[in-house]
Amino acid sequence: MAEQAIQTCNSVSQLRCIGCGKTALADRFRCEHCHDLLEILYPGWDEHGAAGRDARALKTLWTERRLSFNPADQSGVWRFREILPEIDAQKIITIKEGNTPVYELPGCAKSAGMDQLFAKHQGMNPTGSFKDTGMTVAASFARQAGYRWVACASTGNTSASMAAYAARGGLHSLVLIPDGKISWSKLSQSLDYGAITCQLKTDFDGCVRVLNEVVQRMPVYLLNSVNPYRVEGQKTVAFELLEQFRWESPDHIIVPGGNLANSSAIGKAMREMKQLGFISRLPKISVIQAAGANPLVRTIRETGGEKLIPVQAETMATAIRIGNPASWKKALRVIRETEGTVEQVSEIEIAIAKAEIGAEGIGCEPASAVTLAGLKKLVKQGFVKPQESVVLILTGHALKDADFTLKFHRGDLFAETPLESESEILKSQQRAPLVLEPNVDAVIDLLRAAED
Ligand code: F0G
């Protein structure tokens, strides 16, 4: 079947500093006056809506596009192009990202003390993580701006996604990852998609420092989440979620926090949906971090959000092993504006939550499971009420870190660590593979035993 040409009708956008509000050139990341991060705004939006259409017209248009064969309409990001920056239709790189499912998780609801619980699974994107929704916009912008090279520092998912979109768009890509601190499956993706992949003997924050120098000296376009086009693409998860909830805002959205761009993007989307009249109240957006990688939690608790407290990050949830998050000010603003909160969870709590999500036949990677672990705490504290509607954002697919899952079930995730004795409580959830002779009776005996 011949693919129709992609047509776009985006809003005119402008880059502005989140600190001083000054405008910036389209391919910058930080304000040249005060060095704060930039964000994309749409000065043309008014009471008539985005790209000249009001909320009602947009809701209908976006839903209708689900039946279309136009490649842009089949993308769960470009389907919402009226709220995205202008990109030349011929330059768009899409792998049919977005359009991810919402699942109900009754078992997890019960263990968290909730009547009902939902998860929006961003791990169901083409490369297995939420990064694809942002990457389609930022990689397309790179192509439009004429860059031949793109690059990122990553804990594994950004690099997998960037490598895929670069390959699809005919761009070269450079990946810097911390040596030995990301999952093999993520590393294998960027190799397979053809990126030049460097394992640096440092952590994620060290990779960022090196890359920031590289992009200043070479004509390479940075695709880390300080890139404001990434944030625009990642916004669409919130539009899609609200569409799936018939434009009724849930009471709470719970997001894992690493470099803090995703929580920023979801908050920006909610702010814009309110401005455009899609919703009348904002959901509370709360960010959960691993206790060993908790700079935002410490920043809020110890300085009231005045000053970032960077930490030396350490967690088995390697995707969020980040101590110096670039987008902390954006995330802080979202938490304040939506009256959300922050919480931190232990390694054992993450492992339990991940197993519970897996036991629902859904699964996710460890970094995503912090959302359920955090929710349990927020319910206990009374911040989330059992009758409220809650959506967890699951950011990565279960197969992103199969090593973690295997170690968990074999019982050696915490072997020879200070948590070894505490990890005894995981036993009831562990299902180690059973090695048997090829004997029918042996298998039937096992079945009978499992029935009892
Ligand atoms: N969940 C997963 C699975 C991630 O890969 C990341 C970030 C996050 C949550 C946190 O999102 O940084 O926007 O707060 N991964 C990045 C990477 C840093 O390089 O793949 P955030």
Side-chain angles (χ1 to χ4, degrees):
M1 184 188 17
E3 290 197 337
Q4 296 168 27
I6 295 179
Q7 291 170 356
T8 52
C9 49
N10 318 50
S11 295
V12 174
S13 63
Q14 210 173 58
L15 264 188
R16 273 209 226 138
C17 172
I18 60 162
C20 69
K22 293 212 169 74
T23 55
L25 294 174
D27 63 351
R28 301 296 150 86
F29 307 104
R30 288 194 181 269
C31 175
E32 56 185 30
H33 306 281
C34 67
H35 212 61
D36 251 329
L37 287 183
L38 302 172
E39 67 177 348
I40 292 181
L41 297 176
Y42 303 88
W45 289 4
D46 55 18
E47 67 277 15
H48 304 300
R53 293 175 201 254
D54 66 12
R56 240 173 86 147
L58 287 171
K59 285 179 193 172
T60 311
L61 178 68
W62 293 340
T63 306
E64 278 171 7
R65 283 185 181 147
R66 299 202 110 182
L67 298 172
S68 158
F69 290 101
N70 178 322
D73 294 344
Q74 290 188 345
S75 157
V77 172
W78 297 103
R79 188 158 77 79
F80 299 101
R81 52 194 172 268
E82 285 74 14
I83 51 100
L84 297 176
E86 64 279 27
I87 301 283
D88 177 358
Q90 310 307 319
K91 301 294 182 195
I92 287 180
I93 310 166
T94 171
I95 324 181
K96 316 275 165 87
E97 50 290 316
N99 292 326
T100 56
V102 170
Y103 298 118
E104 206 181 328
L105 301 177
C108 296
K110 202 164 163 217
S111 92
M114 296 293 301
D115 294 350
Q116 221 182 4
L117 179 60
F118 296 94
K120 171 98 172 138
H121 207 324
Q122 292 297 89
M124 300 300 178
N125 268 293
T127 76
S129 85
F130 71 102
K131 306 288 181 179
D132 295 343
T133 56
M135 205 54 76
T136 182
V137 178
S140 301
F141 175 80
R143 185 152 82 151
Q144 170 165 286
Y147 283 95
R148 289 178 52 241
W149 278 90
V150 290
C152 71
S154 179
T155 55
N157 280 327
T158 300
S159 46
S161 180
M162 180 190 74
Y165 281 83
R168 299 293 298 170
L171 302 168
H172 301 288
S173 62
L174 170 72
V175 161
L176 303 188
I177 48 169
D179 185 28
K181 296 293 182 187
I182 76 162
S183 86
W184 287 107
S185 37
K186 297 176 189 177
L187 172 59
S188 72
Q189 285 181 288
S190 73
L191 299 177
D192 215 28
Y193 304 145
I196 293 188
T197 306
C198 309
Q199 295 177 272
L200 301 193
K201 295 186 192 324
T202 176
D203 56 10
F204 169 80
D205 302 297
C207 290
V208 170
R209 279 194 293 275
V210 172
L211 188 62
N212 283 342
E213 290 273 319
V214 172
V215 297
Q216 276 176 23
R217 288 163 54 177
M218 300 295 287
V220 175
Y221 188 59
L222 183 67
L223 285 180
N224 268 59
S225 60
V226 292
N227 184 311
Y229 294 88
R230 287 259 321 267
V231 172
E232 290 309 286
Q234 284 176 211
K235 261 179 7 186
T236 54
V237 64
F239 283 85
E240 194 171 275
L241 174 66
L242 269 281
E243 184 185 51
Q244 286 162 315
F245 274 72
R246 310 279 186 276
W247 301 105
E248 274 290 320
S249 182
D251 296 310
H252 296 271
I253 295 182
I254 305 200
V255 194
N259 219 11
L260 299 172
N262 204 30
S263 37
S264 308
I266 294 171
K268 184 172 192 285
M270 292 301 171
R271 191 183 305 139
E272 291 179 354
M273 268 188 268
K274 191 146 178 268
Q275 181 197 347
L276 292 169
F278 283 84
I279 51 174
S280 52
R281 71 184 176 103
L282 296 172
K284 293 188 167 80
I285 299 177
S286 297
V287 177
I288 314 296
Q289 296 195 299
N294 61 353
L296 184 68
V297 175
R298 289 195 55 188
T299 295
I300 291 179
R301 291 188 183 162
E302 294 170 33
T303 78
E306 285 303 303
K307 194 172 166 296
L308 178 68
I309 301 186
V311 303
Q312 188 65 45
E314 197 48 80
T315 169
M316 284 186 193
T318 51
I320 51 173
R321 191 172 176 275
I322 295 175
N324 190 8
S327 296
W328 70 276
K329 281 190 190 167
K330 289 186 179 179
L332 185 69
R333 179 175 163 204
V334 167
I335 290 165
R336 285 185 174 152
E337 207 174 328
T338 67
E339 297 174 10
T341 187
V342 281
E343 192 45 88
Q344 60 183 4
V345 291
S346 72
E347 298 293 293
I348 301 262
E349 288 166 334
I350 295 172
I352 294 173
K354 187 181 128 26
E356 287 171 342
I357 296 168
E360 299 254 25
I362 302 294
C364 64
E365 66 166 287
S368 309
V370 301
T371 53
L372 176 60
L375 172 65
K376 291 182 193 175
K377 290 191 156 172
L378 300 184
V379 174
K380 282 210 183 85
Q381 293 157 11
F383 182 78
V384 174
K385 313 272 179 306
Q387 308 75 23
E388 288 185 309
S389 51
V390 179
V391 181
L392 309 179
I393 305 294
L394 301 183
T395 44
H397 196 277
L399 294 177
K400 281 286 193 174
D401 198 348
D403 244 20
F404 183 104
T405 312
L406 278 172
K407 282 188 186 146
F408 176 90
H409 287 290
R410 288 188 174 137
D412 33 67
L413 192 58
F414 295 101
E416 290 167 33
T417 76
L419 295 173
E420 190 160 4
S421 57
E422 203 186 319
S423 72
E424 288 291 307
I425 55 164
L426 305 177
K427 280 230 152 51
S428 64
Q429 285 170 301
Q430 286 164 353
R431 322 243 174 282
L434 306 164
V435 181
L436 294 180
E437 293 303 323
N439 176 322
V440 175
D441 288 333
V443 176
I444 288 178
D445 284 349
L446 263 178
L447 262 183
R448 291 216 167 100
E451 277 276 296
D452 295 342

